[in-house]
Each structure stands twice: as C-alpha cells, then as structure tokens.
C-alpha cells in the first residue's frame, strides 16, 4: 500500500519507499528483471534520491552489458553521504535480503511510476493553489493560470502517456499532419510499423519471409517491388533445428 511522506509539517506527498527498495533489490538479484521494467519506470520516478541514483547506476551497467550486484555497485557510492547514512553496503545487502520484489516487479514498477505522476499533479496543483491564495500581488486569475499552464500540462500529458502505455495518443490534427509512410518493401512493408505475414500451415510463409529478408539485406527488388536496403535479424522462434533446410 502506498504511504504518504511529509514535505513539511503541514503537507505530504504520495510515495512508497518500500516498493522502491523492493524493486531495486529484485534488480540486483536478477538483472534480467530490468528488461521487464525499463519501459515502465525511470530514474526520475523514485521519491528517495538515493534510490534514484542506485537505479540509474544499475541501468547504466545493464545497458553496457555488465552484470551488477551490491558488491560491484559499492565503489560508485563510497563518497555518497546520503547513501552512507542509509547504511552503505549493508543497505545494498538488505535490499536483496528477502527478495520480495521478485514476486511482482512489474507491479512495483507501475506503482512507483503512478505515485511519481501523482506527485507531479500534487505539486502542480499546490503551486497553482498557492498562487491563487496569494493576494499580495495585483495579479488576475488569467495571469495565474498562464504562469502555471506549462507545469499543469506537463503533469497531465505524462498521466495520459501512462494511461496509454507505450502508445502515443493522436488527435485528428496529428493524423492529418502525419508524414506518408516510408517503405522497406514498396507498399507492403513500412519501416516504422508492424507487418504480419500469415497463411495456412505449409503454405510457404517461412520461405517468403526468408526470401524477403535476404532481398532487404542485399537491397534487391522483391517480386517486382522496390526495397530499401537494411540490416535484418531473423529469429527462428520454432523449429530452429530445421532452419538449415529452409
């Protein structure tokens, strides 16, 4: 359950420090979890600054193809005073002690992200409310709204992006102004979308896919259709041992 952490004696913001710690622990136990959560949560979503720095360090190591663990992470934080106050290497060891984050890493990442969005909305709303309550300046309501418009729109846009997952929401104007598609295989396969080749078993789908892949790699026309030469990665998702015969 999300808890509330005080900013000052009168105000608080939504955050869950325990969820952040659990997710970091899961990442340090199994680096493969990063691939499941990287598109959900970001460094800026962590409420605890030390947690944000630990996440950034973990992400950098994994992106570079390196295995990361509490011991390997320790040198990067030896001069981090806030990290020392949490317990230093002992704190990193505690993160991996119970492994609770391994049970639901995606759900933890989603909660951390959502709480960060709530904080952004809270902060934007509070700033607007404070300005509206301030009668010491001769400022019109329209001026107040104009000054805080960007922060409110940014918080709203990020919330909408979260609701839409990895998909971008487009309105009618966006659709009208979209550039025409660019083709890998003219009028058949675009270079910025998903193409599905389907048919009955044994109808030659794999042969056609390989034929197209080779033509794209060489930049040669495919059955009379112009192609744009590009790199190709062919993944044999099933029947890998028979790929040689194809």
């Amino acid at each position: 359950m999300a808890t509330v952490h005080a900013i000052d004696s009168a105000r608080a913001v939504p955050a869950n420090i325990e969820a952040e710690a659990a997710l970091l622990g899961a990442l340090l136990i199994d680096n493969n979890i990063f691939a499941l959560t990287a598109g959900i949560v970001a460094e800026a979503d962590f409420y605890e600054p030390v947690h944000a720095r630990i996440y950034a360090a973990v992400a950098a190591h994994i992106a570079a193809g390196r295995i990361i663990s509490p011991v390997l992470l320790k040198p990067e934080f030896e001069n981090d005073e806030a990290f020392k106050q949490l317990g230093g290497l002992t704190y990193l060891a505690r993160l991996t002690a119970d492994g609770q984050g391994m049970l639901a890493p995606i759900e933890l990442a989603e909660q951390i992200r959502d709480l960060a969005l709530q904080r952004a909305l809270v902060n934007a709303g509070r700033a607007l409310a404070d300005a509206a309550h301030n009668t010491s300046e001769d400022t019109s309501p329209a001026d107040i709204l104009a000054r805080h418009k960007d922060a409110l729109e940014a918080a709203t846009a990020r919330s909408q992006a979260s609701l839409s997952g990895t998909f971008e929401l487009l309105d009618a104007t966006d659709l009208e102004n979209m550039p025409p598609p660019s083709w890998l295989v003219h009028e058949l396969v675009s270079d910025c979308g998903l193409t599905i080749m389907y048919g009955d078993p044994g109808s030659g789908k794999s042969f056609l896919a390989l034929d197209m892949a080779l033509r794209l790699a060489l930049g040669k026309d495919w059955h009379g259709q112009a192609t744009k030469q590009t790199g190709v990665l062919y993944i044999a998702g099933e029947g890998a041992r028979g790929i040689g015969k194809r």
Side-chain angles (χ1 to χ4, degrees):
M1 180 180 293
T3 54
V4 178
H5 296 268
I7 294 177
D8 55 41
S9 58
R11 298 183 169 188
V13 293
N16 190 341
I17 302 297
E18 293 76 16
E20 295 179 3
L23 179 60
L24 291 174
L27 291 171
L28 290 170
I29 293 171
D30 183 358
N31 295 173
N32 292 320
I33 288 176
F34 182 78
L36 301 176
T37 59
I40 301 172
V41 71
E43 174 188 351
D45 294 332
F46 288 81
Y47 177 75
E48 166 55 56
V50 173
H51 287 171
R53 293 195 289 276
I54 292 173
Y55 181 83
V58 169
H61 279 277
I62 293 175
R66 295 188 292 266
I67 295 174
I68 192 64
S69 69
V71 174
L72 294 172
L73 204 58
K74 177 178 177 284
E76 297 187 35
F77 290 87
E78 286 181 336
N79 297 319
D80 190 317
E81 292 301 323
F83 175 71
K84 290 179 182 178
Q85 291 177 10
L86 287 178
L89 182 58
T90 301
Y91 182 69
L92 286 178
R94 285 209 311 271
L95 291 178
T96 60
D98 57 24
Q100 289 189 37
M102 301 286 291
L103 300 176
I106 294 175
E107 289 77 5
L108 288 171
E110 289 174 341
Q111 185 184 97
I112 293 167
R113 176 205 60 197
D114 291 346
L115 290 171
L117 294 173
Q118 287 181 245
R119 290 196 298 275
L121 291 169
V122 167
N123 291 333
R126 282 179 176 168
L128 177 59
D130 286 343
H133 277 98
N134 184 6
T135 58
S136 63
E137 298 181 10
D138 185 15
T139 306
S140 70
D143 291 336
I144 294 173
L145 285 171
R147 285 207 309 263
H148 295 83
K149 179 182 177 182
D150 290 345
L152 287 169
E153 287 183 346
T156 302
R158 193 172 177 207
S159 297
Q160 290 175 337
S162 171
L163 291 173
S164 62
T166 58
F167 295 96
E168 181 182 1
L169 297 177
L170 302 176
D171 59 22
T173 302
D174 294 327
L175 293 173
E176 290 175 356
N177 294 327
M178 287 184 70
S182 176
W183 301 104
L184 290 177
V185 179
H186 185 60
E187 294 188 341
L188 289 176
V189 181
S190 74
D191 63 359
C192 59
L194 174 67
T195 300
I196 298 176
M197 186 182 293
Y198 64 93
D200 293 332
S203 60
K205 298 186 300 295
S206 295
F207 178 81
L208 281 175
L210 276 170
D211 182 37
M212 181 185 292
L214 291 169
R215 294 279 178 168
L216 285 169
L218 296 172
K220 294 186 176 182
D221 288 357
W222 188 72
H223 298 281
Q225 299 296 106
T227 67
K228 181 170 71 175
Q229 188 171 16
T230 185
V232 174
L233 173 64
Y234 184 88
I235 300 174
E238 58 182 351
R241 293 188 179 182
I243 191 67
K245 295 180 180 180
R246 299 178 184 179

